[in-house]
Amino acid sequence: MSFNFTNLARLLIDDPRVAKLRALIVDRIQPSFKKGLPADIIAKGKSILRQLNKSQQRAVLRTLMANDYSLLKGFPGTGKTSTIVALVQLMLALGYSVLLTSYTHSAVDNILLKLKSCEVDFLRLGKTSRIHPDIKEYSDERLTSVFRDVKSLADFYDDKLVVATTCLGTNHVLFSRRIFDFCIVDEASQVLQPAVLGPLFQAHRFVLVGDPQQLPPLIQSSEARDLGMGESLFARLDSLGATSCLTQQYRMNGHIMKLANLLMYDGQLQCANSALETATITLPNYTNEECTTTFPGWIKRAASSNLENSVVFLDTCGCAPEDQNSNVSAKEASLILVLIISFLKAGLNIDDIGVITPYRDQVKYLRNLITKNVTNGSRVEVNTVDQYQGRDKSVILYSCVRSATSKPKNGDILQDEHRLNVAITRAKYKLILIGDISTLQNYKPFKTLISLFMESSQVYTLRDGIDGFHWSDFNPYCN
Ligand SMILES: Nc1ncnc2c1ncn2[C@@H]1O[C@H](COP(=O)(O)OP(=O)(O)OP(=O)(O)O)[C@@H](O)[C@H]1O
């Protein structure tokens, strides 16, 4: 909190660089861009730019032409991370110093892992214990332990062209002596405005990377939310003049992408190639006798690798009533367990399965259930949407939990279309939602989504005695 207050106070300082920042972000003066590209950008960046698609190339070049700032909006799976990596390489080739930041440690390290594989040198600030094991060798705590005098320490901090840390990590002593040519902020649509100021004070130009349609800053206080605290600087500065947009995605097949387009992207999200459009999961044992004879009809349909079954809604039809005050659904959890066991039997790799649920209590319950009943079950990643941002799995199973409540609870997480958007866009080839449709239709984002499932006949009702489904089969897994 004191970091945020300090940043707000710094924004009032009487200094030309801070005055410019104030004009850009408080008065929202439009950013300006150089008219042409310096010839050396193309010459020096040819091999780097070749790895990018056209819109990524345009975004990178526009960032380099910015006099003040630019925004890079990347829909899910459109290669924001890959674009940032290319941008850093190009900035280095042009001799610029770069401050690379993000909201979370994992997002910072995600980029650094890729930079490391491209043999780019950098310095990672922050507690070594919070840093990814493969990045620890770049940690300043480790690297500076050998210095015995102030001069060598100062030289070391001054020399590194790429310095990386979280937004909150920009209170490090290094920042009292350095201003970078560029600052890149990843996950910028998730950062509180006062927190994002920290890195921005430390650079002449900045680029914010994010997607305001994914997770916004997390605000606990409803009063603060109502007063606008949830607006990120990315959302505040997003404009046609400032923003480059990445719309070609490399993650989801066409059916899953269609859901995201309906819910959030208004048809703008596109598959990067036709192979991706029709990609499905591979289940090598699905047609073996062990599966064909033991899988009841409802599992055969839900787990099928047919393209048209890429998105499936399993409607519990109000038969899984739960305590209205609880955020756990034992019945949905047992359905998920049975689906996981079936996918594994059909030959899916355990690391390709992900489970998402909006509620932490359900995460805990599911982890316990899966670890107890599946060999190596701890390898099935079960998490809330927030923990899944930035990553994907071939198959995503989503447990909605709420059931038997006729009216949506005020402020219920299920009303949050951004969270639902992130959840569905984690799936590459198969997405199974499990929930009670009559309850979920009371939540606006679900209502929109369910209409598409219905339109494509991908809602399967789970009723006792139909399609080999019996609730009693799940009793052993429900306490
Ligand atoms: N130009 C490209 N050509 C081929 N593959 C690409 C290209 N750009 C990105 N990819 C691939 O697309 C996938 C998604 O990229 P990345 O993780 O950078 O997306 P993202 O925008 O950060 O996703 P999210 O918003 O969900 O965090 C990766 O497997 C990456 O290798």
Side-chain angles (χ1 to χ4, degrees):
M1 188 57 94
S2 66
F3 178 77
N4 290 339
F5 283 134
T6 308
N7 286 341
L8 289 176
R10 282 181 73 189
L11 195 59
L12 304 175
I13 291 175
D14 189 12
D15 166 278
R17 233 169 27 78
V18 177
K20 180 180 166 191
L21 193 60
R22 267 200 310 271
L24 293 170
I25 66 180
V26 179
D27 304 331
R28 279 194 265 199
I29 302 293
Q30 275 293 300
S32 68
F33 291 84
K34 293 182 181 61
K35 290 277 177 282
L37 272 175
D40 61 339
I41 291 191
I42 301 297
K44 290 183 178 159
K46 214 170 180 180
S47 62
I48 300 164
L49 289 167
R50 235 195 331 250
Q51 299 157 26
L52 303 178
N53 66 36
K54 288 274 175 286
S55 45
Q56 292 168 336
Q57 288 175 358
R58 271 197 298 273
V60 164
L61 295 176
R62 187 143 173 89
T63 303
L64 292 169
M65 288 158 76
N67 292 320
D68 321 296
Y69 73 86
S70 63
L71 267 58
L72 172 55
K73 189 188 293 185
F75 296 163
T78 52
K80 288 188 285 295
T81 314
S82 319
T83 309
I84 292 175
V85 168
L87 195 53
V88 174
Q89 287 178 288
L90 204 49
M91 285 172 175
L92 278 182
L94 296 168
Y96 293 126
S97 57
V98 186
L99 170 60
L100 181 61
T101 65
S102 188
Y103 176 56
T104 57
H105 285 280
S106 62
V108 173
D109 289 344
N110 192 20
I111 302 169
L112 294 182
L113 286 167
K114 291 195 175 163
L115 283 175
K116 181 182 171 184
S117 69
C118 301
E119 298 181 359
V120 171
D121 186 36
F122 51 83
L123 176 66
R124 170 67 157 99
L125 306 180
K127 280 202 175 344
T128 312
S129 58
R130 303 297 304 271
I131 296 175
H132 189 284
D134 295 343
I135 300 297
K136 285 185 196 291
E137 66 197 272
Y138 298 87
S139 123
D140 85 304
E141 274 184 1
R142 283 238 175 125
L143 293 170
T144 54
S145 61
V146 294
F147 296 119
R148 294 285 168 263
D149 63 283
V150 175
K151 164 104 180 51
S152 0
L153 190 63
D155 289 348
F156 172 80
Y157 279 133
D158 288 348
D159 285 351
K160 292 285 181 183
L161 277 179
V162 181
V163 174
T165 186
T166 58
C167 292
L168 297 183
T170 50
N171 55 2
H172 188 281
V173 63
L174 174 148
F175 296 105
S176 61
R177 44 189 301 125
R178 283 192 73 178
I179 301 293
F180 291 78
D181 294 313
F182 276 96
C183 168
I184 302 173
V185 186
D186 189 19
E187 292 186 323
S189 39
Q190 259 189 284
V191 193
L192 283 177
Q193 291 196 47
V196 84
L197 290 175
L200 303 193
F201 287 127
Q202 303 303 144
H204 296 293
R205 295 182 261 174
F206 64 87
V207 49
L208 304 180
V209 184
D211 176 5
Q213 313 286 49
Q214 296 188 48
L215 299 182
L218 190 63
I219 311 293
Q220 306 278 4
S221 151
S222 57
E223 192 187 352
R225 233 184 353 252
D226 293 346
L227 289 169
M229 186 87 176
E231 185 192 48
S232 66
L233 187 62
F234 191 110
R236 181 175 170 77
L237 298 182
D238 189 7
S239 73
L240 273 180
T243 309
S244 305
C245 199
L246 306 180
T247 55
Q248 268 186 46
Q249 61 86 21
Y250 294 83
R251 175 179 298 152
M252 298 156 263
N253 73 16
H255 287 250
I256 298 169
M257 186 185 74
K258 198 170 166 191
L259 287 184
N261 266 332
L262 178 85
L263 186 70
M264 273 296 184
Y265 297 106
D266 205 18
Q268 291 180 72
L269 199 53
Q270 303 152 9
C271 282
N273 53 60
S274 52
L276 175 66
E277 183 107 39
T278 54
T280 59
I281 43 166
T282 312
L283 299 175
N285 308 333
Y286 186 79
T287 49
N288 289 1
E289 208 185 329
E290 200 201 347
C291 294
T292 51
T293 54
T294 59
F295 285 179
W298 74 274
I299 288 194
K300 280 188 189 143
R301 297 208 299 155
S304 154
S305 59
N306 289 340
L307 183 62
E308 59 271 23
N309 302 120
S310 299
V311 297
V312 169
F313 204 118
L314 296 181
D315 180 11
T316 56
C317 296
C319 292
E322 308 290 333
D323 172 357
Q324 291 195 20
N325 297 316
S326 159
N327 287 332
V328 171
S329 168
K331 287 203 169 155
E332 283 187 17
S334 63
L335 277 168
I336 284 188
L337 174 68
V338 169
L339 284 167
I340 291 173
I341 294 171
S342 308
F343 275 122
L344 295 177
K345 221 183 224 181
L348 192 70
N349 189 319
I350 196 162
D351 299 317
D352 288 337
I353 308 173
V355 181
I356 303 182
T357 177
Y359 305 103
R360 284 210 198 110
D361 291 347
Q362 181 78 343
V363 167
K364 241 163 122 185
Y365 187 91
L366 273 158
R367 278 189 189 151
N368 209 356
L369 186 72
I370 297 167
T371 332
K372 253 198 227 154
N373 293 286
V374 177
T375 315
N376 294 323
S378 59
R379 277 172 48 196
V380 176
E381 189 177 342
V382 184
N383 250 319
T384 58
V385 170
D386 302 63
Q387 302 301 318
Y388 256 106
Q389 170 127 338
R391 286 166 325 104
D392 53 38
K393 291 278 179 184
S394 297
V395 175
I396 288 287
L397 308 173
Y398 184 85
S399 168
C400 304
V401 177
R402 283 271 173 272
S403 181
T405 48
S406 53
K407 279 199 190 132
K409 287 186 179 174
N410 226 353
D412 195 311
I413 214 158
L414 292 182
Q415 281 169 325
D416 186 338
E417 56 182 355
H418 296 270
R419 284 201 157 65
L420 185 57
N421 178 38
V422 176
I424 62 175
T425 54
R426 301 309 95 193
K428 297 203 297 197
Y429 313 125
K430 181 110 189 162
L431 171 70
I432 305 183
L433 269 69
I434 296 130
D436 173 19
I437 283 195
S438 61
T439 299
L440 293 167
Q441 283 202 327
N442 293 314
Y443 297 90
K444 195 170 159 260
F446 276 93
K447 194 169 179 194
T448 311
L449 209 58
I450 289 165
S451 67
L452 194 66
F453 278 92
M454 286 184 164
E455 208 177 276
S456 54
S457 310
Q458 292 306 329
V459 173
Y460 302 162
T461 44
L462 300 175
R463 284 191 206 282
D464 255 335
I466 293 180
D467 233 2
F469 182 84
H470 301 280
W471 277 117
S472 56
D473 293 346
F474 299 89
N475 287 344
Y477 304 123
C478 297
N479 297 332

